[in-house]
Amino acid sequence: MDGCPLLNSLISDIATLRSKAKPLTNPKQKHCSATKMSAFKYKQVIVTRSDLEMSRGKIAAQAGHAAVSAAEEARRLHPRWWRAWLREGQCKIAVKVGSEEELLKLEKEAKELGLPSALISDRGLTELPPDTLTCLGIGPAPSEKVDRITGKLALL
């Protein structure tokens, strides 16, 4: 890890935040289901294409890429949002769209609203052709901003 300053910085930031974190008064607050979303001021949404024939493992890997890449974008561009999201428990919501066009439309809307985002393109080493767009990570950002573009999407 000594050769990766970005990773070292990220680990240091997380360790600092964890040391300052206050315990939740209600342990159930860690769960960010749709019925409990009002407890979270910040969230991240992972949008996955449902028109692709991906295994569950592939979906998980692509969603992981989207989550980490979008979080890193937030850490660089909106560190206050990123820190607040970490303190709250890193709320993530997984939703789906039916096409590449829908995914690209959401990415454009996220950029127009100034939200951190990451569009994921598969390398084509396993299940999909190279350069297939699979997922979009949006946020972490204020929930009301993210909901403007993802609030009506179906859960994955």
Side-chain angles (χ1 to χ4, degrees), residues 125-136:
L125 300 177
T126 56
E127 299 177 16
L128 300 170
D131 302 320
T132 301
L133 298 177
T134 58
C135 289
L136 173 67

Side-chain angles (χ1 to χ4, degrees), residues 70-133:
E72 177 56 22
E73 183 82 356
R75 188 180 75 84
R76 286 186 315 103
L77 300 177
H78 299 284
R80 188 178 55 80
W81 293 355
W82 180 78
R83 284 190 299 271
W85 173 72
L86 283 176
R87 280 189 213 110
E88 283 186 340
Q90 303 173 38
C91 179
K92 293 174 198 67
I93 306 295
V95 298
K96 61 185 174 181
V97 294
S99 69
E100 180 178 303
E101 292 75 25
E102 289 178 83
L103 198 68
L104 291 170
K105 180 179 180 266
L106 290 171
E107 181 198 27
K108 181 181 177 202
E109 291 173 5
K111 288 184 185 300
E112 288 171 354
L113 287 175
L115 299 176
S117 64
L119 185 63
I120 303 305
S121 175
D122 191 67
R123 291 182 59 199
L125 300 177
T126 56
E127 299 177 16
L128 300 170
D131 302 320
T132 301
L133 298 177

Side-chain angles (χ1 to χ4, degrees), residues 25-97:
T25 55
N26 178 359
K28 291 183 181 180
Q29 275 185 310
K30 288 184 179 179
H31 180 65
C32 63
S33 70
T35 58
K36 297 181 183 183
M37 282 307 301
S38 61
F40 292 90
K41 293 180 183 174
Y42 297 88
K43 70 177 167 183
Q44 182 180 61
V45 173
I46 307 304
V47 186
T48 301
R49 284 180 58 190
S50 62
D51 62 315
L52 298 174
E53 292 188 23
M54 293 187 283
S55 67
R56 285 185 222 149
K58 185 67 166 179
I59 291 169
Q62 296 299 296
H65 293 320
V68 170
S69 297
E72 177 56 22
E73 183 82 356
R75 188 180 75 84
R76 286 186 315 103
L77 300 177
H78 299 284
R80 188 178 55 80
W81 293 355
W82 180 78
R83 284 190 299 271
W85 173 72
L86 283 176
R87 280 189 213 110
E88 283 186 340
Q90 303 173 38
C91 179
K92 293 174 198 67
I93 306 295
V95 298
K96 61 185 174 181
V97 294

